[in-house]
């Protein structure tokens, strides 16, 4: 019982610290000054991360920021993401400590359960983030060929490239639409088209999109046929999508081996050895 009380106290302290970190923010003036001054930005990051800045170097924080951007979680900061891992870990530990007392059983493996649940809670946010990144990239890859077809057709009709992008955005859905709207917003505020598209490709981190942006920028610099290049890129992106579908289809037999064995072998063993076991029991 004492262990459960201690776990509850630790969890309450952690939740209190998390609440203070999440709901206490700097004023708008302080954030603006921090954005103007690079030193202020570094101080803002360190104050946001707090004690975690001692355990995570600059490379680790930069990598985490990049992964959050790739997942489209723009409002989530590295400090809050780390807090989610701490919350999940303490929650798993607390639940694992309560289970033996709820079941009124003191088996040795029940006391290993809190450690396992704590580790699972610490790993869960990172696994969810990886899944979100993979899903977002998949949706961007799937939407890219149709978007390029629309842009190519619009450019061939005599509309400028920026206008073609704006017209084709309405037919796009999902995360690719959000990235395109952000790029068009950057262009409207005065950023060059090449820089806005390069920033979009860096945020998405999709090979097909990066290749498309590079080809468009090079075609503009060299004065190439934009419509023809876009049409060719659309065909290549569609071919890549078909190749990925064929690869996934080829992996299905290997993936299905374990579920089929898990479902079929017990029934097969019962059919083969069931009668023999029944005879031996009846003797």
């Amino acid at each position: 019982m004492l262990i459960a009380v201690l776990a509850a106290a630790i969890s309450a302290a952690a939740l209190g610290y998390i609440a203070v970190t999440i709901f206490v923010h700097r004023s708008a003036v302080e954030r603006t000054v921090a954005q103007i001054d690079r030193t202020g930005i570094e101080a803002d990051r360190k104050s946001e991360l707090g004690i975690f800045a001692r355990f995570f170097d600059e490379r680790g924080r930069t990598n985490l920021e990049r992964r959050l951007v790739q997942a489209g979680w723009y409002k989530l900061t590295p400090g809050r993401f780390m807090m989610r891992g701490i919350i999940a870990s303490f929650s798993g530990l607390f639940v694992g400590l309560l289970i033996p007392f709820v079941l009124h059983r003191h088996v040795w493996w029940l006391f290993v359960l809190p450690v396992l649940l704590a580790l699972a809670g610490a790993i869960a946010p990172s696994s969810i983030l990886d899944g979100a990144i993979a899903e977002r990239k998949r949706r961007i890859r799937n939407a890219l060929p149709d978007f390029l077809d629309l842009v190519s057709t619009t450019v061939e009709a005599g509309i400028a490239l920026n206008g073609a992008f704006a017209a084709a955005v309405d037919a796009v859905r999902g995360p690719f639409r959000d990235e395109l709207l952000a790029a068009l917003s950057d262009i409207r505020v005065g950023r060059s088209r090449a820089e806005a598209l390069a920033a979009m490709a860096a945020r998405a981190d999709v090979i097909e999109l990066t290749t498309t942006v590079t080809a468009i920028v090079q075609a503009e610099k060299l004065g190439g046929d934009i419509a023809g290049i876009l049409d060719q890129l659309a065909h290549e992106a569609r071919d890549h999508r078909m190749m990925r579908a064929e690869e996934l289809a080829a992996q299905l037999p290997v993936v299905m081996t374990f579920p089929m064995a898990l479902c079929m072998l017990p029934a097969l063993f019962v059919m083969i050895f069931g009668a023999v076991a029944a005879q031996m029991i009846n003797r």
Side-chain angles (χ1 to χ4, degrees):
M1 196 59 160
L2 180 60
I3 298 176
V5 174
L6 291 176
I10 294 173
S11 302
L15 291 175
Y17 179 73
I18 291 165
V20 172
T21 304
I22 293 176
F23 294 106
V24 176
H25 302 282
R26 301 172 65 183
S27 65
V29 176
E30 291 177 344
R31 287 197 300 267
T32 304
V33 173
Q35 291 176 357
I36 295 174
D37 188 3
R38 181 64 183 174
T39 306
I41 294 177
E42 296 298 331
D44 187 48
R45 288 181 178 178
K46 290 181 180 179
S47 64
E48 177 191 351
L49 291 173
I51 192 173
F52 298 104
R54 302 179 182 178
F55 302 99
F56 294 91
D57 56 359
E58 185 64 26
R59 180 180 298 179
R61 293 195 296 270
T62 303
N63 184 37
L64 181 55
E65 289 177 355
R66 181 177 57 83
R67 292 173 62 200
L68 291 173
V69 170
Q70 290 176 2
W73 298 354
Y74 298 114
K75 296 182 180 180
L76 185 63
T77 61
R80 295 183 183 181
F81 182 80
M82 294 174 190
M83 280 297 181
R84 289 187 176 185
I86 297 297
I87 290 175
S89 181
F90 271 103
S91 300
L93 178 63
F94 182 66
V95 172
L97 290 173
L98 285 181
I99 287 177
F101 296 97
V102 172
L103 298 179
H104 298 289
R105 297 181 63 184
H106 299 284
V107 188
W108 67 270
W109 59 268
L110 287 177
F111 293 96
V112 180
L113 190 61
V115 179
L116 298 177
L117 291 179
L119 292 176
I123 297 172
S126 182
S127 300
I128 295 173
L129 178 59
D130 292 336
I133 293 173
E135 176 64 19
R136 192 168 189 267
K137 289 184 177 182
R138 184 190 65 81
R139 295 179 65 183
I140 290 176
R141 289 192 187 99
N142 292 337
L144 183 60
D146 297 334
F147 170 77
L148 292 176
D149 283 335
L150 290 173
V151 174
S152 176
T153 304
T154 309
V155 171
E156 289 177 352
I159 299 177
L161 189 57
N162 289 345
F165 281 162
V169 164
D170 296 333
V172 180
R173 296 291 182 270
F176 191 36
R177 175 186 174 87
D178 299 334
E179 293 295 341
L180 289 171
L181 290 176
L184 291 174
S185 178
D186 291 341
I187 294 173
R188 292 191 188 98
V189 298
R191 196 174 188 180
S192 67
R193 182 164 56 206
E195 293 179 354
L197 293 178
M200 178 184 68
R203 290 193 302 268
D205 194 21
V206 177
I207 297 176
E208 291 83 352
L209 183 58
T210 303
T211 304
T212 300
V213 169
T214 303
I216 292 174
V217 172
Q218 292 296 327
E220 283 186 323
K221 289 182 179 179
L222 301 176
D225 183 13
I226 298 292
I229 291 174
L230 290 173
D231 189 43
Q232 183 178 359
L233 289 171
H235 285 295
E236 291 179 357
R238 194 169 284 108
D239 291 339
H240 283 301
R241 185 171 63 183
M242 184 61 66
M243 290 175 59
R244 285 194 303 272
E246 292 176 354
E247 290 176 359
L248 292 176
Q251 293 174 0
L252 282 178
V254 180
V255 175
M256 291 296 295
T257 300
F258 181 74
M260 291 177 62
L262 185 64
C263 296
M264 294 176 61
L265 288 179
L268 186 62
F269 288 154
V270 170
M271 292 175 61
I272 295 174
F273 302 108
V276 178
Q279 291 179 1
M280 294 179 63
I281 291 173
N282 292 330
R283 287 180 182 178

